[in-house]
Amino acid sequence: MVRISKEAMPSLVKILSDILVCPLSKHPLRYCEQSNSLISDSIGVSFPIKNGIPCLVPRDGKILEEEDASKPDNDTNLSTVNEENQQRSA
Amino acid sequence: MRGLSLFRKKPMSLAFRSLCLSPFSSNSNLKIFDRQLKRKQRDRAAWLMPQNDPLLHTVAQNLLDRLHDCKRTFPTALCLGGSLQPITRSLRDHGSIEKLIVMDSSYDMLQACKNAYHASNNDDNVDALFLVADEEFLPIKESSVDLVVSCLGLHWTNDLPGAMIQSRMALKPDGLFLAAIFGGETLKELRIACTLAQMEREGGISPRVSPLAQVRDAGNLLTRAGFTLPGVDVDEYVVKYGSALELIEHLRAMGETNALFEMNSILKRDTALATAAIYDSMFSAEDGTVPATFQVIYMTGWREHPSQQKAKRRGSGTVSFQDIHKHFGGQS
């Protein structure tokens, strides 16, 4: 069996779809080539890849800015949650 | 060496934050260990750790011995944090593994492991993926790996049952969970010495070595996490050191120093030296070495699968035990 270990990225993407999920929501992750990071769309957090090693500790994740957050309904969900919180605190 | 001399300069307060182990929290919000501090300690340990630590090596060998007892092969293996290098080395040599996922919460530790892995890489066909992640938040898809190995890592989790349940979910049906954690008798000498020294010098005690997991808990944990065919066994290793300070150096090199959330971060030099003196005078052997006990609990469990043997329904037996006794002639 011949495997080319140098091609880190394609294998990473494959393993990503096979095995890795978001550590918090357990939903699939998406690889973003532009920022070289793994993005969890379900909670709007990006996890960096340093030197070919994905860092999936929740503390390493960055919350994405609103314009990056993919789906508009995420925002509405968030705002309803906020409203609920406000109601609770009121 | 630069790293080493750097750490020597640190005050003694670091030296005696010694190893501690988890009591089991039922409440996942309860914070016993400072995971962030643990990451830093492991970052540091990555530079201090010797290539072949005999204790870690022995434990890893013992743990993986259990794999050789299984006829089943494990194409995809996940290796959780702890003593990574001995485990990855042995796992790769094991043969049946095609894809190896190595995980740790410390980036430096993982990078060191990756470098060592690639340095000794002799064109084998094991796919290795290195991954920084937290055992408490396992980023592994459900039913995707055949084997989960954790060697001396899980005793630092705040929510051990939770971490084990997540491991079970990550396993495919009939997948194997193998773990080694430090148990209750570990560092009992140091615990005694710390307590006595603190009583003597400060008139009170604070947790330097925290409550430990007991052997009987391990079985309960496995059952509670939903593993079938649970197995627990215990080994005790006595390591001999030149002095108590060498023990602390070793603990630090393994990244096993205290990370209790509510620990007293100040340790007076006075108390530290008193601890070392008490340790030496109470426990030193005739040849001048001081022993330290490490108790390791090995746990094995399987994810449920219909092919596994299980107990019959209660009351379904048709033969009386008295008859069996008669049949075999009451040899006992």
Side-chain angles (χ1 to χ4, degrees):
Chain A
M1 194 186 294
V2 179
R3 289 218 179 107
I4 305 150
S5 57
K6 298 295 170 203
E7 288 181 349
M9 276 304 122
S11 77
L12 178 66
V13 171
K14 192 182 172 300
I15 288 175
L16 179 69
S17 54
D18 286 353
I19 287 168
L20 292 187
V21 291
C22 165
L24 295 169
S25 65
K26 310 272 178 199
H27 286 298
L29 290 164
R30 170 167 65 86
Y31 175 61
C32 175
E33 272 182 53
Q34 203 176 4
S35 57
N36 192 28
S37 62
L38 295 172
I39 293 172
S40 169
D41 285 322
S42 53
I43 54 171
V45 170
S46 85
F47 296 97
I49 301 177
K50 286 189 219 160
N51 200 4
I53 300 178
C55 300
L56 293 172
V57 179
R59 208 177 248 263
D60 291 345
K62 287 192 191 69
I63 297 171
L64 292 172
E65 297 296 317
E66 295 232 339
E67 61 255 47
D68 291 350
S70 51
K71 290 162 198 162
D73 54 300
N74 273 0
D75 296 348
T76 54
N77 282 343
L78 271 182
S79 60
T80 50
V81 170
N82 284 341
E83 275 165 24
E84 274 172 22
N85 284 343
Q86 278 162 6
Q87 280 165 4
R88 261 182 221 152
S89 58
Chain B
M1 278 320 281
R2 220 180 78 210
L4 210 71
S5 57
L6 194 84
F7 296 120
R8 289 248 162 84
K9 276 182 207 148
K10 294 235 165 159
M12 286 293 285
S13 65
L14 280 170
F16 274 86
R17 291 176 194 170
S18 47
L19 182 130
C20 56
L21 297 148
S22 71
F24 308 120
S25 59
S26 53
N27 180 359
S28 59
N29 294 325
L30 191 64
K31 288 269 182 292
I32 299 163
F33 301 115
D34 188 341
R35 300 282 293 170
Q36 196 60 24
L37 175 63
K38 190 82 251 165
R39 277 181 89 182
K40 290 204 179 111
Q41 289 175 345
R42 289 184 65 76
D43 279 347
R44 186 172 67 187
W47 300 93
L48 290 173
M49 199 174 265
Q51 194 54 240
N52 268 315
D53 189 300
L55 176 66
L56 298 183
H57 187 77
T58 314
V59 173
Q61 285 298 323
N62 248 323
L63 185 64
L64 291 184
D65 256 2
R66 286 152 177 76
L67 271 189
H68 295 281
D69 299 338
C70 303
K71 285 179 187 158
R72 193 181 179 288
T73 56
F74 302 96
T76 316
L78 168 66
C79 185
L80 300 184
S83 67
L84 282 181
Q85 288 193 28
I87 283 281
T88 44
R89 213 178 308 139
S90 319
L91 266 183
R92 196 181 48 183
D93 298 340
H94 183 254
S96 69
I97 283 152
E98 289 163 19
K99 198 186 281 174
L100 180 62
I101 307 155
V102 184
M103 196 186 106
D104 198 285
S105 60
S106 149
Y107 179 82
D108 286 9
M109 189 68 101
L110 206 63
Q111 188 68 52
C113 183
K114 191 179 180 183
N115 292 344
Y117 182 86
H118 287 303
S120 64
N121 194 5
N122 28 26
D123 67 4
D124 49 7
N125 43 22
V126 180
D127 261 350
L129 173 75
F130 294 85
L131 177 68
V132 178
D134 191 334
E135 290 100 336
E136 292 178 11
F137 302 95
L138 205 64
I140 304 294
K141 193 188 270 183
E142 218 172 287
S143 311
S144 59
V145 295
D146 300 285
L147 171 68
V148 174
V149 184
S150 166
C151 185
L152 302 178
L154 281 179
H155 55 267
W156 287 111
T157 47
N158 284 314
D159 180 16
L160 186 51
M164 285 169 70
I165 289 169
Q166 288 187 52
S167 306
R168 180 175 60 89
M169 299 299 276
L171 283 171
K172 288 177 189 167
D174 209 23
L176 175 62
F177 173 79
L178 271 179
I181 60 171
F182 280 125
E185 296 291 297
T186 308
L187 294 183
K188 56 184 175 190
E189 300 92 350
L190 183 63
R191 182 191 303 269
I192 294 167
C194 274
T195 310
L196 286 177
Q198 280 190 327
M199 291 285 277
E200 184 190 299
R201 301 287 157 138
E202 294 169 21
I205 52 170
S206 62
R208 294 282 167 200
V209 186
S210 79
L212 308 177
Q214 298 298 325
V215 179
R216 60 175 181 275
D217 300 329
N220 295 344
L221 269 171
L222 281 168
T223 324
R224 179 165 160 202
F227 288 107
T228 55
L229 314 176
V232 175
D233 51 329
V234 183
D235 245 338
E236 255 184 42
Y237 306 94
V238 177
V239 184
K240 290 181 175 170
Y241 297 92
S243 72
L245 294 177
E246 271 177 41
L247 162 66
I248 303 300
E249 293 274 314
H250 186 210
L251 291 180
R252 200 185 294 162
M254 292 194 294
E256 297 290 350
T257 42
N258 193 353
L260 278 179
F261 209 73
E262 292 185 355
M263 74 173 162
N264 184 0
S265 57
I266 299 164
L267 176 69
K268 292 179 187 154
R269 191 181 180 85
D270 208 23
T271 318
L273 290 175
T275 308
I278 290 172
Y279 201 116
D280 283 344
S281 68
M282 279 185 77
F283 301 107
S284 64
E286 282 170 4
D287 56 353
T289 57
V290 291
T293 311
F294 291 91
Q295 185 191 39
V296 181
I297 303 175
Y298 297 97
M299 299 188 280
T300 51
W302 296 79
R303 180 147 192 202
E304 200 164 36
H305 190 262
S307 73
Q308 289 165 353
Q309 67 269 38
K310 43 172 114 49
K312 287 218 163 185
R313 195 172 49 81
R314 208 169 250 267
S316 61
T318 53
V319 182
S320 156
F321 270 102
Q322 278 178 348
D323 294 345
I324 296 174
H325 193 67
K326 265 182 227 153
H327 189 264
F328 289 103
Q331 284 151 350
S332 50

